[in-house]
Amino acid sequence: MSRRRVTVVGSGMTFFSGISLYTCRLANALADENDVSVILMRRLLPRRLYPGGSRVGEQLTTATYRDEVPVFDGVDWFVLPSLVRALRFLKQQRPEVLVLQWWTGAVLHSFLVLALAARLRRIPVVLEMHEVQDTGEAAIGWVRRYTEALIRPLLAMTAAFVVHSRVDAEVVAESGWSGRKPVRVIKHGPYDHLAPAVDAPPREPGDDFTYLYFGTIRPYKGVEHLVDAFDSLDSADARLLVVGETWEGHALPAERIAAARHGDRIEFVNRYVHDDEAAGFFARADAVVLPYLRSSASGPLHIAMSHGLPVVLSDVGGLTEAAEGYEGIRFVTPGDVPGIAEALREVRSWPVRRYPDPCSWEATTRHFGELFDELL
């Protein structure tokens, strides 16, 4: 593989999310074998329209870009003058490949301009798709129609697509977005930035067993099913820790927690937490439970695997493939409360150990490098 000049475009830290972290980790990993620069989407939309608007601008992560990675931070949704400056930055960096992180229609107009600038310079555009469209956006008719209409010119300027699972590749193919262009399945790298413990200290008899749900609380995350399953358990020394920010007004999990007969054993941290806090929550956990009803990928799954923790995970979408090779997985049927309860009992009986994470950024960047060589 040749050393390439690569520009990655993704979410900045101002509207922090899992895509912000992924963009940073990918760019830093690619910089081992390439000359990498980054353009960040800074203000995605008016703050009042963002589900996590109250925390916009807060420093929520310890992740930073490597010193040798030039970063333009960044492009605002109202584009002027920020997009003009981004185009100037792109010209200065002279990339051979432009990699766009796709996760929301809010960045579509900016991506169109950046992709056109790349096309005029004969720079191939790679569209890395985290999902076809955010579920919250898809539920808003005019937003869905806007995205469906304006995505077509972007797709026409795209040379290749990257997804994280074979299931996502099928979704992209069925949507008609890829046409005859290559679609590469490149697995998500690990989220090992929270410094997991190397060895699990043995749990003493009588210690509480703590289940952790971590991540945003949205209708498709299935948190209410986890609460119901936990509430059906009779073990007095079991605890449930639910950590996450509510989006889309999905108050059902909070209502179930408030009404739970074992509510005194449930701790609810209803906000987006800083990395330092997140590390503490994972350190307290004996098992992680992710009862999603649908999903293409999961940052919390990768954090859990980097910690080597047992994971109860819905057998759905790209999650099944994301966990391939991980020994600490117990799959459940989405929305199956008795099945989730049985899985909670089962993982509690497993021997206390840390499981090796099968993911690596080296593998991820190697596959990107192969794609770059093919395109160039």
Side-chain angles (χ1 to χ4, degrees):
M1 292 183 293
S2 303
R3 190 173 185 88
R4 303 293 187 184
R5 294 189 307 276
V6 180
T7 296
V8 178
V9 182
S11 178
M13 302 300 187
T14 302
F15 282 67
F16 184 76
S17 68
I19 306 300
S20 308
L21 179 58
Y22 180 85
T23 302
C24 181
R25 294 303 306 272
L26 176 65
N28 287 345
L30 286 172
D32 285 336
E33 303 292 341
N34 303 274
D35 298 320
V36 177
S37 56
V38 176
I39 296 175
L40 297 178
M41 300 292 106
R42 181 173 51 193
R43 302 179 199 173
L44 299 181
L45 68 167
R47 178 186 290 202
R48 67 181 181 278
L49 300 179
Y50 186 64
S54 62
R55 60 170 171 83
V56 167
E58 293 183 17
Q59 184 64 37
L60 293 169
T61 182
T62 56
T64 57
Y65 287 90
R66 291 164 56 162
D67 291 340
E68 66 269 30
V69 176
V71 178
F72 177 78
D73 187 13
V75 179
D76 302 321
W77 64 273
F78 46 88
V79 303
L80 295 176
S82 60
L83 188 54
V84 175
R85 294 170 178 162
L87 291 171
R88 188 180 304 131
F89 177 86
L90 186 67
K91 183 178 180 180
Q92 292 169 347
Q93 297 304 316
R94 299 183 299 109
E96 296 172 274
V97 182
L98 182 69
V99 181
L100 303 176
Q101 304 297 314
W102 174 258
W103 80 104
T104 172
V107 300
L108 180 51
H109 58 300
S110 299
F111 278 18
L112 280 169
V113 175
L114 292 170
L116 178 59
R119 181 71 173 268
L120 292 174
R121 292 177 173 84
R122 299 181 182 276
I123 301 169
V125 176
V126 175
L127 195 62
E128 182 170 5
M129 304 190 65
H130 295 270
E131 55 186 338
V132 171
Q133 187 170 17
D134 179 84
T135 55
E137 292 180 354
I140 303 173
W142 71 269
V143 175
R144 183 180 65 255
R145 291 189 293 272
Y146 164 84
T147 303
E148 290 173 349
L150 291 191
I151 194 71
R152 298 297 171 182
L154 179 61
L155 300 177
M157 292 185 284
T158 297
F161 298 81
V162 169
V163 295
H164 297 146
S165 70
R166 293 183 293 273
V167 171
D168 289 339
E170 292 172 1
V171 170
V172 172
E174 291 172 359
S175 70
W177 281 23
S178 59
R180 296 184 178 181
K181 296 173 182 177
V183 179
R184 294 289 181 269
V185 177
I186 301 179
K187 293 192 72 171
H188 198 297
Y191 277 173
D192 50 5
H193 60 294
L194 298 183
V198 175
D199 297 308
R203 200 167 46 252
E204 298 295 335
D207 284 355
D208 291 347
F209 189 99
T210 300
Y211 302 99
L212 169 66
Y213 170 84
F214 187 89
T216 52
I217 298 173
R218 307 180 66 177
Y220 74 87
K221 295 296 185 81
V223 181
E224 59 272 20
H225 302 301
L226 168 59
V227 174
D228 290 346
F230 176 82
D231 208 34
S232 70
L233 303 180
D234 293 324
S235 301
D237 57 351
R239 298 286 181 269
L240 174 61
L241 181 55
V242 177
V243 181
E245 178 181 56
T246 297
W247 280 32
E248 301 167 67
H250 188 56
L252 186 56
E255 294 170 359
R256 294 289 177 83
I257 291 171
R261 64 189 181 106
H262 296 315
D264 59 325
R265 294 194 243 140
I266 302 175
E267 182 179 347
F268 187 26
V269 182
N270 191 202
R271 56 186 173 83
Y272 208 107
V273 300
H274 187 278
D275 277 356
D276 292 340
E277 292 180 278
F281 291 129
F282 277 89
R284 289 172 55 187
D286 296 297
V288 173
V289 189
L290 303 171
Y292 303 157
L293 303 179
R294 61 161 296 278
S295 189
S296 295
S298 169
L301 169 62
H302 287 281
I303 299 174
M305 292 195 298
S306 73
H307 280 71
L309 291 166
V311 181
V312 176
L313 180 68
S314 291
D315 189 1
V316 65
L319 298 181
T320 309
E321 192 173 340
E324 277 183 349
Y326 189 64
E327 299 173 18
I329 284 288
R330 170 59 159 84
F331 286 111
V332 294
T333 301
D336 179 8
V337 172
I340 295 171
E342 179 58 33
L344 298 182
R345 297 186 190 96
E346 181 179 320
V347 298
R348 184 172 179 176
S349 68
W350 290 0
V352 179
R353 56 167 290 196
R354 297 289 182 186
Y355 300 92
D357 189 344
C359 302
S360 74
W361 285 109
E362 290 79 10
T364 299
T365 56
R366 182 177 69 254
H367 291 304
F368 267 103
E370 292 167 355
L371 175 61
F372 297 159
D373 285 349
E374 179 181 331
L375 293 175
L376 296 170

